Amino acid sequence: MAIEVYNTLAGKKEELSPLKEGEVRMYVCGVTVYNSSHIGHARSLLTFDIVYRYLKFLGFQVTFVRNFTDVDDKIIQRAKEEGVAAEAIATRYIQEFNRDCSALGLLRPTHEPKATEHIPEMVSLIQRLVEKGAAYRVNGDVFFQVDRFPRYGKLSRRRLEELEAGARVEVDERKRSPMDFALWKASKEGEPSWESPWGKGRPGWHIECSAMSTKYLGQPFDIHGGGRDLVFPHHENEIAQSEAASGLPLARYWLHNGFLEINEEKMSKSLGNFYTVKEILERWEAPVLRHYFLSSHYRSPLDFSEQGLEEASKGVERIYETIERLDRALPSDEDTAEPESEILNTFRQEMDDDFNTPKAMALIFDEVRALNRILDGGKTKGLAARGQALKVMGEVLGLLQEKPALFLKEKRERWLRKQGISVESIEEAIRRRERARSGKKWQEADRIRKELQERGIMLEDTPGGTIWKVR
């Protein structure tokens, strides 16, 4: 089976055919570390975590590079506001970002380069552009001359004469064209700076990704990814400067995740709908957020809402409860059973279609329902193989990162804390109910069950005793 990906550059799905058989080289634009990561970042991070996980599942050797922009106007401004060095701001938020990634259950990339550690590579790339006549110097600054790259606009499908300055295109009368962009910026008082042939200064935003991606992956490489908002101007500029310098394509496949809104509005601090990753994970488990994003195709726009998280929470709980039931019903030696191949083949068919996680999730829930019906019937034939297939699918999508019993216990305790209910009070009520049942005081036993149910505590009588869960 061949995997197809939607290539923004081609404007269609194409079969993924890596430059080197069995290997995939992938670069994804990382964060600018001047503030806490928000859920928009989380969507992109989880999108490419799934791409990374799935390619590894298929057997590819994946080299995955994700950078840090640790020198930037916003970092410098934040440092001035706080009266500290820009490096201190960057270090603080890189550490916070790493904690967020760990909490989200992301796999670590192969390389996580910082812009400030690759200044020589950027200077060298800019020098080549100047020598080729694709860049020009103005008072210590260096600009890329867009009209010297005839294919400019091929990623975003915009004609140069129709383009207007975007949000991150600086207006500067010294530029030969409004669309020309900075490769090197002359130093200003109190700003971080490095030596260069054009004087002390620092790199522009776009040049860093070109320098770092080619250092670790070569040129061309297989996949370049990022959010839809990066298509223009960032990725368009990356292509222009990289290809003007080398005469070679930068990347063969360009993958972009869709935009994120909050209750049908753009996320904004001024609107009071800005959520950091940390804030969301204080209220919801990481698999819940992952399930929420997986339920929409990565290229589709997504409206983020509390209701959606509630539904995702219930779905994740069903998956974990089913696996816990399987673990209780099957002997431990059946954990090594071969996964049911037909189920995994169907899973692959869905994921091979441009990482179609909504269909993959639908398959998982079909299996959850089927497995529960089998368990309800007291049968075990074929159960181990189907259960292993469910586990494999969950692991590939990063949904299963804890033992089910531990996950459900932590989820239950979080809910109880919100409700102000203690585990001890529930277990004492269950003991009272057991005494009432033993004494054939059925009305009293029913009253206790109903009382617990009204508080959101559901009881289930099993051959091994009464178990409880929260609604």
Side-chain angles (χ1 to χ4, degrees):
M1 292 182 285
I3 179 171
E4 288 194 332
V5 300
Y6 185 88
N7 186 356
T8 305
L9 186 62
K12 62 181 180 180
K13 290 181 188 177
E14 294 183 329
E15 181 179 335
L16 179 63
S17 179
L19 287 158
K20 188 173 181 180
E21 187 175 354
E23 296 184 17
V24 173
R25 289 173 291 161
M26 177 170 72
Y27 184 91
V28 176
C29 290
V31 293
T32 301
V33 284
Y34 73 98
N35 208 337
S36 300
S37 297
H38 52 69
I39 53 172
H41 295 132
R43 187 182 195 194
S44 185
L45 290 167
L46 286 166
T47 291
F48 291 100
D49 183 67
I50 294 300
V51 173
Y52 188 27
R53 286 172 179 273
Y54 187 63
L55 292 174
K56 286 165 70 73
F57 167 70
L58 293 181
F60 288 106
Q61 179 182 327
V62 185
T63 303
F64 175 23
V65 181
R66 186 181 64 221
N67 74 298
F68 287 112
T69 296
D70 61 340
V71 57
D72 178 87
D73 291 342
K74 292 180 180 179
I75 296 171
I76 293 167
Q77 181 60 35
R78 185 71 181 262
K80 288 178 180 177
E81 291 169 359
E82 296 191 16
V84 299
E87 183 181 4
I89 297 294
T91 299
R92 178 201 308 169
Y93 288 110
I94 286 174
Q95 291 172 347
E96 185 177 304
F97 176 84
N98 286 332
R99 288 194 294 271
D100 287 342
C101 288
S102 178
L104 286 167
L106 304 181
L107 297 180
R108 290 294 295 266
T110 316
H111 304 286
E112 293 181 279
K114 299 175 185 175
T116 56
E117 295 175 354
H118 296 78
I119 302 297
E121 289 86 352
M122 297 179 210
V123 169
S124 176
L125 178 54
I126 296 168
Q127 282 181 302
R128 292 204 303 275
L129 289 167
V130 171
E131 290 166 3
K132 286 176 175 287
Y136 56 94
R137 303 168 55 174
V138 181
N139 301 328
D141 291 348
V142 182
F143 295 98
F144 183 87
Q145 188 167 338
V146 169
D147 64 11
R148 297 300 300 270
F149 186 71
R151 298 182 301 284
Y152 192 81
K154 65 178 180 177
L155 184 69
S156 57
R157 285 173 179 71
R158 305 183 189 193
R159 296 174 60 188
L160 183 57
E161 56 268 26
E162 297 171 349
L163 287 170
E164 295 178 357
R168 295 194 71 162
V169 176
E170 297 178 7
V171 176
D172 190 328
E173 292 180 356
R174 298 173 303 155
K175 295 193 292 186
R176 295 175 184 175
S177 163
M179 294 311 301
D180 293 351
F181 56 89
L183 300 172
W184 187 261
K185 299 180 179 182
S187 63
K188 296 179 182 177
E189 184 75 27
E191 292 187 353
S193 62
W194 290 264
E195 295 290 346
S196 83
W198 317 285
K200 296 189 72 173
R202 58 187 172 89
W205 177 42
H206 311 295
I207 197 69
E208 66 182 66
C209 287
S210 288
M212 289 187 284
S213 63
T214 53
K215 174 176 180 175
Y216 292 96
L217 302 175
Q219 185 177 342
F221 53 90
D222 297 302
I223 295 174
H224 196 314
R228 186 76 195 167
D229 57 310
L230 297 180
V231 173
F232 182 85
H234 185 50
H235 288 169
E236 197 73 74
N237 290 352
E238 275 189 66
I239 288 173
Q241 64 201 8
S242 297
E243 298 187 4
S246 69
L248 297 170
L250 177 58
R252 300 182 70 198
Y253 305 92
W254 291 77
L255 276 59
H256 295 95
N257 61 274
F259 292 111
L260 184 75
E261 291 187 333
I262 312 293
N263 297 317
E264 299 183 352
E265 292 183 308
K266 185 177 180 180
M267 184 169 63
S268 165
K269 286 184 178 180
S270 62
L271 294 174
N273 64 357
F274 184 93
Y275 301 106
T276 67
V277 172
K278 184 179 179 181
E279 287 169 342
I280 290 296
L281 294 183
E282 284 173 352
R283 299 171 53 211
W284 304 95
E285 297 79 11
V288 171
L289 187 61
R290 185 177 285 260
H291 171 22
Y292 182 75
F293 286 136
L294 293 177
S295 297
S296 295
H297 193 277
Y298 79 91
R299 286 192 288 112
S300 301
L302 177 62
D303 185 44
F304 192 82
S305 67
E306 289 287 326
Q307 183 180 355
L309 285 171
E310 289 280 3
E311 291 302 315
S313 180
K314 293 173 186 175
V316 168
E317 192 167 0
R318 285 199 300 275
I319 295 170
Y320 274 90
E321 285 176 345
T322 302
I323 293 173
E324 187 183 38
R325 285 191 75 187
L326 285 166
D327 291 344
R328 290 200 309 266
L330 294 169
S332 58
D333 59 357
E334 298 217 30
D335 276 347
T336 57
E338 283 295 316
E340 215 287 328
S341 59
E342 187 175 341
I343 296 169
L344 287 189
N345 285 339
T346 304
F347 175 73
R348 281 195 55 174
Q349 287 173 14
E350 307 298 8
M351 290 294 289
D352 282 352
D353 181 15
D354 194 29
F355 311 101
N356 197 329
T357 56
K359 287 192 174 181
M361 291 299 297
L363 176 63
I364 284 175
F365 284 110
D366 284 345
E367 276 305 295
V368 164
R369 285 187 288 271
L371 288 165
N372 278 301
R373 283 196 297 269
I374 295 169
L375 287 163
D376 291 342
K379 299 176 183 178
T380 59
K381 185 177 180 181
L383 199 59
R386 294 186 72 164
Q388 282 298 101
L390 176 62
K391 291 179 181 179
V392 169
M393 293 187 293
E395 287 165 0
V396 171
L397 296 180
L399 290 167
L400 305 179
Q401 300 191 14
E402 287 187 275
K403 292 289 185 183
L406 178 61
F407 173 82
L408 293 168
K409 178 175 179 289
E410 291 173 346
K411 183 172 174 55
R412 183 176 66 189
E413 289 174 352
R414 180 183 294 204
W415 186 86
L416 290 173
R417 284 195 298 273
K418 286 182 183 177
Q419 305 302 316
I421 303 171
S422 70
V423 173
E424 292 76 16
S425 67
I426 297 168
E427 291 178 345
E428 172 56 29
I430 290 173
R431 286 193 290 273
R432 287 192 284 109
R433 179 172 175 268
E434 287 301 315
R435 289 195 294 271
R437 293 177 74 196
S438 297
K440 298 186 178 180
K441 298 178 181 178
W442 309 118
Q443 190 172 355
E444 172 67 6
D446 287 345
R447 185 191 66 77
I448 294 171
R449 174 193 279 274
K450 186 177 179 182
E451 183 182 276
L452 288 171
Q453 187 173 329
E454 287 172 350
R455 300 177 72 190
I457 311 301
M458 313 303 291
L459 302 184
E460 182 182 344
D461 296 315
T462 73
T466 300
I467 61 173
W468 62 275
K469 59 184 178 181
V470 298
R471 184 186 300 159

